[in-house]
Structure formats: structure tokens, C-alpha cells
Amino acid sequence: MPKRPGKNAKSSFPCRVAIAIMAAGKGTRLKSRHPKVLHEIGGKPILAHVIATAAKVVPAADIFVIIGHEAERVRQAVGGSGVNFVLQAEQRGTGHALMVAREALAPYDQVIVLSGDAPLITAPTVQKLSSFHNAQNAAMTLLTADLATPVGYGRVLRKSAKSTEVKAIVEEKAANATQKKIREINSGFYAFSGPSLYQHIGELSTDNPHREYYLTDMAGILHRARKKVIAIKTADAAEVLGSNTRAEIVDLDARLRLAKCHQLMAEGVTIFQPQTCLIDSDVVVGADSVIEPFVQLLGKTRIGADCRIRSYSILKDSEVADNVLVNPLTVTDGARIGTGAIVGPYSRLRPGSDIGEGAHVGNFVETKKIKLGKGSKANHLTYLGDAEIGDGVNVGAGTITCNYDGVNKHKTTIEDGVFIGSDSTLVAPVRIGRGAYVAAASCITDDVPADALALGRARQTVKEGWAAAKRGSRNSTQG
Ligand code: UD1
Ligand code: MG
């Protein structure tokens, strides 16, 4: 037996509220090997957006995600959210999804049903649906919207045009020509009285073109049982859009990202040509930062205040402090960039790159798993991997840390104030002591003591007159 739910902490009502999220379907119309609810918009699974919204309304312990198709994958993808899962092993329709969740949901006074494939719904709208349902003491309240193109959605049959009461929902496939003209659609979001839902759910049948149990039929069933079925219309129809086709997913993604840009702009960020930028839902940007066109900020990226991210840069899961300049075409993944640093153009900062305060990383420089100290510079054509580099170090153009011997990775340590001349190779493991100089074009295989000069290159030989003599002999054979 499930635990008896307590009074809902986040709900303002004196009743126990559960949220069920239907996410067991395959998503046949997507023609995909992957479950529909795991397709991504705004950089995370469609279902994760719905769960995040639900979690703003009730505690995770009162959220029940109904999974079925590829259940384990879905559970793993969103399991971190602390919600409950109910298995619908065979997907026999949205009504069937609620049937299999009976044990979990029946103890609740109110059951809000959300669709795992409609991710733009917001918490205030769910709250409104819930409180309207409660205030009206209804058995079923549906959230509806007027769509210019209602094709594919269930249509709402109200008792009369002005009535809040609903007689039934008719699915697109079963609708007649007059019903198809109705622009008020069923969003797939409902509030039910738990007892009414489970008293009557057994009356659902599979007498429809898909041979499925339609949850939408509950409207007609409850209405005929003289229970109150009502509808509330959303102000913003975009909130109820579903993702049944690829085109719909791409459209939802674009809407979500544009909304994200507007949210950031409202928080003090300038984003030029926001429709060209790809900013994931969880990205944070500080005030007075400027994002230029065609920038991508992905995953868990956090940008501080007063930064400038120039065009064509792609920052993923990276942490950028305040006052940083990221020049064009920089690519970062799992990197940290300290206050006042300048990176790019054309820098590639791979996972574990930690760029210090005021440091510079320039053109065609690749870094991986390094710490670059305060004010240190690596400005041109360089690879720095598995290295700890102190403060005030100058890494000359074309420097390479040879970190890999074909089997293992080794570490290079460069202490504070070191000067590495251009075109040097540092064969790890190796340490360059504080304040030392490495002459240009050196191949350094042994540790260099502090304040020393290390030269690791062949001595130059000059053969006076050699070239002229060569030209002379060529001229004489030509003659
Ligand atoms: C449903 C509604 C339709 C409404 C539309 C809004 C029904 C019969 N129709 O249609 O009136 O306009 O949503 O978007 O409900 N699912 C399960 N188990 C199943 C079948 C589906 O969990 O056995 C899940 C799906 O994963 C999906 C959600 O329920 O997240 C909705 O199913 P879907 O097939 O997309 O229904 P629609 O055809 O969009
Ligand atoms: Mg759908």
C-alpha cells in the first residue's frame, strides 16, 4: 500500500495534491529510436522541463511519472529529480496510464495530470488550473486553449458557448466536420478529483479508432454521471503546445530559447540578435554582460557580470567569472575562466582547463586539464595538457607540452614567473623552476632549476659563403 500522502506543503489548499506526468508513450510520429520525452529542447529532455514545472507546484514526493516505452532510459535520464515512477508496461492509451497509477494516486484529493510531451507549461498556469478546479468543486477541469490551427488536438465540446461546463472531448480522428472547426483544444492537462476519477475510470472503453483507453473520454463519462466537468482557457496558447512531430519539437525549442533570451535581457544582459543565439535553459548570465550574435551557451554554463562573449563562440558546461572577454570562435567545454581573463579568438579550452585571473589564452591555443596562473599568457599556437602553470608565466608561440607517451599521461609543472621561448617542447614529466628561462626552440626533457636558463637545441653552424658558392657552381654548369 502506498504511504498516505500528507497535506501538500507547497499547495495553498487544504487538500492533498498529486501531479501525474504521462510519459510512457513511444512517440511514433517522430520516427525515432529514442523515446519522445527524451528528445531535447533548450538543451534538456522534454520531460525534464515538465518535471521542473511540476516541482514548483508540489514536492517531488507527490509527483508520479508514468513510464513505459524504454522505461529504464527515461527513469535514468530524470531520476535525479527525486520523483516517483509508475510503470505502464503496455501502453494502451492515456486513460490506461492513469489506470495503472491507481494505487499511487487514489489516496490524493486532487490529481493534476500533465503531459510529458508538452514542456512549455508554467507553474502559475498549473496553480491556476488547480485552484479553479478546487474553487469550483469540480470532478474534472481541463485546461484548454484557442489555437489558430487546432489540427491533431482533441476538441472541447462545451455545454454552450458561454458555459464553463464541458460535455465531452472529441479526438481529431473521431471528430465530424463541424467539430473539426472548433478551435478550442484540449491541452492534455487536467485537474481531477481523485475519488471521482477512480470511481469512474473503469468505465473507459477502447471503442475508438486506435483501440486505446482515452483519458479524454473521462469528460463525457463524468458529465453523464452528473459530475461537474469544466474548462479553463490559458491566456497564452503556446504553453500547451505538444511535441508530436520533429517540426513541433524544433518549434518548441525555438520558443523556449527566445523566452530564455528575453528572461536574461530582463535581468540586465544584452543579447544582440537573440534569434541567432542558442542558450540552454539552465544557463546563468550576470548583468551587463553582452552576448553577440551566433553565440551558443550550453548545459550548465554560468557567465559572470560585465563579460563579453563574441560571435561564434560555443561555451558548454563552463564557468566564466566577471569581466571576461571571450573573443570570436572560442570553444570551451568544462572550463573555468577567471576574472578579467581574455580568451580567443580561436581558443579551445577542453575539460579541466582552469584559466586564472587576468590570464590570456590566444589564437589556436588548445588546453586540457591545466591550471594557468594569474596573469599568465599563452597567446599563440600552443598545446597545454596536464599542466600546472604558475602566475606571471609567459608561454611562447608554438609551445607544446608532450604529455602522452603512448600509454600514460604525464604532468608538466611550470612555476611562477617562468619564460618559455617560442617553439619549445616540454617532455613530461618535467618541472621548470620558478623564474627560469627556456630558450626558444628547446626540447626540454630534464627538470630546469629555478632562475636557470635551459637550452635544449642543436648549436647553430654557419658556413660562410656556402650559398654563393653553390650558386656559382650552378651558373658554371648552365654556361
Ligand atoms: C492527447 C489528447 C488530446 C490532446 C493532446 C494535447 C488523448 C486521447 N488525447 O493527444 O485530446 O489534444 O494530447 O497534446 O489523451 N502516454 C502514456 N501512455 C500511453 C499513451 C500516451 O503515458 O499509453 C503519454 C505520452 O507519452 C505523452 C502523453 O501521454 O506524453 C500524451 O500522449 P500522446 O500520444 O502524445 O497524445 P496526443 O495524441 O497528443
Ligand atoms: Mg501529444
Side-chain angles (χ1 to χ4, degrees), residues 21-27 29 36-37 66-68 88 90-98 114-118 150 152-155 169-172 185-190 210 212-217 240-244:
I21 302 175
M22 298 183 295
K26 182 165 185 265
R29 287 162 280 183
K36 167 159 74 173
V37 293
I66 300 161
I67 53 175
Q88 184 194 13
E90 230 189 311
Q91 294 84 57
R92 300 175 64 196
T94 46
H96 182 250
L98 271 284
L114 305 181
S115 204
D117 73 337
Y153 290 90
R155 309 298 208 285
I169 301 167
V170 57
E171 288 302 293
E172 168 92 17
I185 61 102
N186 166 37
S187 68
F189 303 125
Y190 321 87
H210 278 125
E212 287 185 349
Y213 293 102
Y214 285 169
L215 186 58
T216 45
D217 287 345
V240 307
L241 296 176
S243 41
N244 300 307

Side-chain angles (χ1 to χ4, degrees), residues 45 60 68 70 129 146 160 270 279 292 297 312 375 391 398 409 427 465 478:
E70 296 258 24
L129 168 68
D146 283 333
S160 67
T270 299
I279 302 184
E292 293 188 0
L297 303 177
Y312 303 105
D391 298 342
K409 297 279 168 69
V427 182
Q478 274 170 359

Side-chain angles (χ1 to χ4, degrees), residues 391-469:
D391 298 342
V393 168
N394 190 84
V395 179
T399 297
I400 307 284
T401 52
C402 309
N403 58 332
Y404 186 48
D405 62 11
V407 182
N408 295 308
K409 297 279 168 69
H410 300 283
K411 186 172 167 184
T412 301
T413 306
I414 303 175
E415 295 182 354
D416 294 348
V418 162
F419 181 95
I420 310 280
S422 295
D423 191 29
S424 293
T425 50
L426 310 174
V427 182
V430 71
R431 171 182 293 267
I432 318 292
R434 200 183 172 89
Y437 264 64
V438 169
S442 288
C443 175
I444 301 296
T445 52
D446 298 323
D447 288 356
V448 178
D451 294 323
L453 168 67
L455 292 117
R457 63 185 187 215
R459 185 176 288 278
Q460 182 171 327
T461 307
V462 175
K463 297 188 176 174
E464 294 278 358
W466 184 92

Side-chain angles (χ1 to χ4, degrees), residues 261-391:
C261 285
H262 284 284
Q263 174 218 322
L264 290 174
M265 289 193 271
E267 290 166 10
V269 180
T270 299
I271 305 174
F272 290 109
Q273 306 221 22
Q275 67 281 13
T276 67
C277 294
L278 224 55
I279 302 184
D280 281 355
S281 300
D282 294 340
V283 167
V284 176
V285 184
D288 287 321
S289 283
V290 176
I291 313 291
E292 293 188 0
F294 296 101
V295 162
Q296 297 189 16
L297 303 177
L298 309 176
K300 298 187 179 354
T301 294
R302 300 175 75 90
I303 312 270
D306 280 308
C307 293
R308 189 169 191 105
I309 314 297
R310 305 213 49 206
S311 289
Y312 303 105
S313 290
I314 303 175
L315 279 60
K316 182 174 166 235
D317 296 332
S318 295
E319 231 174 272
V320 177
D322 298 339
N323 212 13
V324 168
L325 172 61
V326 175
N327 278 310
L329 294 141
T330 295
V331 177
T332 77
D333 182 2
R336 291 184 54 199
I337 305 174
T339 308
I342 300 176
V343 301
Y346 296 103
S347 296
R348 176 161 183 229
L349 310 183
R350 292 167 51 204
S353 296
D354 183 354
I355 309 305
E357 222 180 289
H360 291 190
V361 178
N363 318 271
F364 303 103
V365 175
E366 175 183 351
T367 65
K368 185 219 74 173
K369 218 172 158 193
I370 66 150
K371 187 168 172 9
L372 185 65
K374 257 191 198 167
S376 291
K377 293 178 183 163
N379 269 332
H380 325 270
L381 302 162
T382 286
Y383 172 63
L384 299 172
D386 301 294
E388 183 153 349
I389 301 165
D391 298 342

